[in-house]
Amino acid sequence: MSILFSPLKIKEATFKNRMVVSPMCMYSSDDGFANDFHLVHLGSRAVGGSALMIQEATAVSPEGRITHGDMGIWKDEHIEKAKQITDFVHTQDALIGIQLAHAGRKASYQLPKNGARKIAPDKENGWQTVSASPLPFREGEPAPIALDATGIEKVKNDYIAATRRAEKAGYDVVEIHAAHGYLFHQFYSPLANERKDEYGGSFENRIRFLLEVTEVVREEWPDEKPLFVRISATDWTEGGWTIEDSVKLSVKLKELGVDLIDTSSGGNVPHATIPSEPGYQVPFAAQIKNEANVLTGAVGQITTAEQSEVILKEGKADLILYARESLRQPYFPLHAAHELNVDVNWPLQYERAKI
């Protein structure tokens, strides 16, 4: 019996298998709007057999975007096209999630095709960024403004409004993006947070902002729908955030009603040394799952059905998230089922190619 193709129920959502398309920036939006590219991109992976597609980092405010090409959900007008996408995904017996995001100091960058360099606030497609402290991500880049009480309250309200829109648009899962050096990671990591107030200093203070936002999102998001949080389990840098910190944070997130910890790593400082290799982040998902007693998702250079099956059988994670592999193979789950000799339903239109 394949665990990879066994169902998993979280709240009232049933995942038909354990295969998830990880959220990945497409840099293809104008003013935050989804378009036909996003419909085809996410829709084709639903056709391909994944249980859940998590939409790319979707900004809760214009200043929360990484680039001016990022998707957004900061105004009601964004809902209509998003609803078309969610409706199509649901026709494929699949679920769709949205990753609500704020990039903090890692906002206001050029598109990758244009060099991915920081854009100064007074330049075209640039804006003033915010963070926990006025520390730029890279030396020489324009510094962010440290969020004051008013700014922190605005972010909370932006997440509340975005969560309401996500519900109207028909998403099945909300994931709060608190990884990869973006705003919440900038608060909880001591490498980016030099504050002296109730949001800085101690571990409890540094995680406060994420917990406060998680609490209001959970209150706004329907009880029957799952809530995920993506974290960076380690900064991979001495003096930074650690896996032990992540376990303690995950316990608190679970107490607030978070259903799964999407376990990634790094991204908070440019000089981190990351030992990238197949499955290199899986041990973090396993430790959080076992020590915090919470469901986890494993991500990072997981590229085969056999590798995925082993991770699940060894109890190291509950869901497997595929990023680059899902870009290379939109129909990866169908190939994986064949590899594991599992009989799964193919889309009616494609059944003739099953054998």
Side-chain angles (χ1 to χ4, degrees):
M1 178 68 182
S2 167
I3 299 181
L4 186 61
F5 284 93
S6 66
L8 175 68
K9 188 170 184 179
I10 305 177
K11 294 290 180 59
E12 294 302 313
T14 298
F15 298 71
K16 63 184 177 182
N17 58 50
R18 307 302 182 93
M19 309 182 78
V20 178
V21 175
S22 193
M24 292 169 284
C25 294
M26 295 290 107
Y27 309 108
S28 299
S29 294
D30 183 15
D31 192 29
F33 282 91
N35 54 50
D36 285 348
F37 172 82
H38 302 96
L39 172 63
V40 173
H41 167 66
L42 293 165
S44 63
R45 282 144 186 86
V47 171
S50 293
L52 171 70
M53 275 52 57
I54 304 182
Q55 183 176 295
E56 66 187 86
T58 305
V60 299
S61 62
E63 66 273 17
R65 293 173 294 172
I66 306 165
T67 76
H68 64 88
D70 290 10
M71 283 186 69
I73 194 161
W74 64 78
K75 54 186 175 182
D76 291 346
E77 290 80 2
H78 288 144
I79 295 173
E80 182 179 3
K81 190 66 177 184
K83 184 67 164 57
Q84 183 186 1
I85 294 171
T86 64
D87 284 347
F88 178 80
V89 169
H90 291 150
T91 68
Q92 303 303 304
D93 187 30
L95 304 174
I96 183 164
I98 181 171
Q99 187 185 63
L100 299 181
H102 193 304
R105 70 179 183 178
K106 292 182 76 173
S108 189
Y109 278 86
Q110 292 177 337
L111 301 176
K113 67 179 182 179
N114 295 327
R117 291 182 294 275
K118 189 77 169 181
I119 305 175
D122 59 343
K123 301 298 183 183
E124 183 181 5
N125 293 322
W127 57 87
Q128 178 61 57
T129 62
V130 298
S131 186
S133 300
L135 304 172
F137 178 62
R138 291 186 178 88
E139 187 176 347
E141 290 183 345
I145 294 174
L147 282 171
D148 58 13
T150 301
I152 285 174
E153 198 62 28
K154 178 185 182 302
V155 172
K156 291 181 192 176
N157 289 329
D158 288 340
Y159 268 86
I160 291 171
T163 304
R164 290 173 180 165
R165 295 187 186 104
E167 166 64 6
K168 290 179 180 178
Y171 292 97
D172 304 293
V173 175
V174 156
E175 175 170 278
I176 298 172
H177 197 356
H180 302 163
Y182 298 125
L183 184 61
F184 298 123
H185 191 178
Q186 292 160 30
F187 269 78
Y188 67 67
S189 171
L191 299 180
N193 186 340
E194 296 181 348
R195 300 174 74 98
K196 306 299 182 184
D197 62 2
E198 68 269 31
Y199 293 98
S202 68
F203 169 83
E204 289 74 18
N205 282 356
R206 286 183 282 109
I207 66 172
R208 187 185 307 277
F209 191 22
L210 173 57
L211 296 185
E212 289 177 348
V213 170
T214 299
E215 185 172 16
V216 296
V217 169
R218 182 69 272 183
E219 289 174 355
E220 204 62 53
W221 190 236
D223 290 341
E224 69 273 13
K225 291 189 175 186
L227 175 63
F228 295 178
V229 175
R230 172 168 275 194
I231 66 170
S232 280
T234 176
D235 281 334
W236 296 109
T237 304
E238 186 176 353
W241 184 259
T242 68
I243 178 58
E244 291 76 22
D245 293 328
S246 291
V247 171
K248 291 192 294 182
L249 171 62
S250 298
V251 169
K252 293 182 179 295
L253 289 171
K254 182 184 178 183
E255 290 172 352
L256 291 177
V258 172
D259 299 291
L260 181 141
I261 304 298
D262 181 357
T263 311
S264 191
S265 69
N268 196 39
V269 290
H271 58 269
T273 301
I274 301 176
S276 181
E277 60 184 13
Y280 70 104
Q281 295 174 150
V282 173
F284 301 135
Q287 187 169 345
I288 290 171
K289 175 178 169 62
N290 293 328
E291 296 183 14
N293 192 29
V294 65
L295 299 177
T296 60
V299 63
Q301 294 196 39
I302 302 171
T303 58
T304 70
E306 182 180 2
Q307 180 190 14
S308 305
E309 190 76 17
V310 169
I311 292 168
L312 295 169
K313 282 185 175 178
E314 292 180 350
K316 294 179 177 178
D318 301 279
L319 292 176
I320 307 294
L321 290 91
Y322 306 89
R324 289 173 176 82
E325 194 61 28
S326 74
L327 295 180
R328 290 186 284 262
Q329 297 195 68
Y331 304 97
F332 178 67
L334 301 182
H335 296 294
H338 178 74
E339 181 181 334
L340 296 175
N341 197 29
V342 177
D343 185 24
V344 297
N345 292 327
W346 278 45
L348 175 65
Q349 299 87 340
Y350 294 173
E351 273 189 346
R352 74 194 71 168
K354 185 174 181 179
I355 298 176

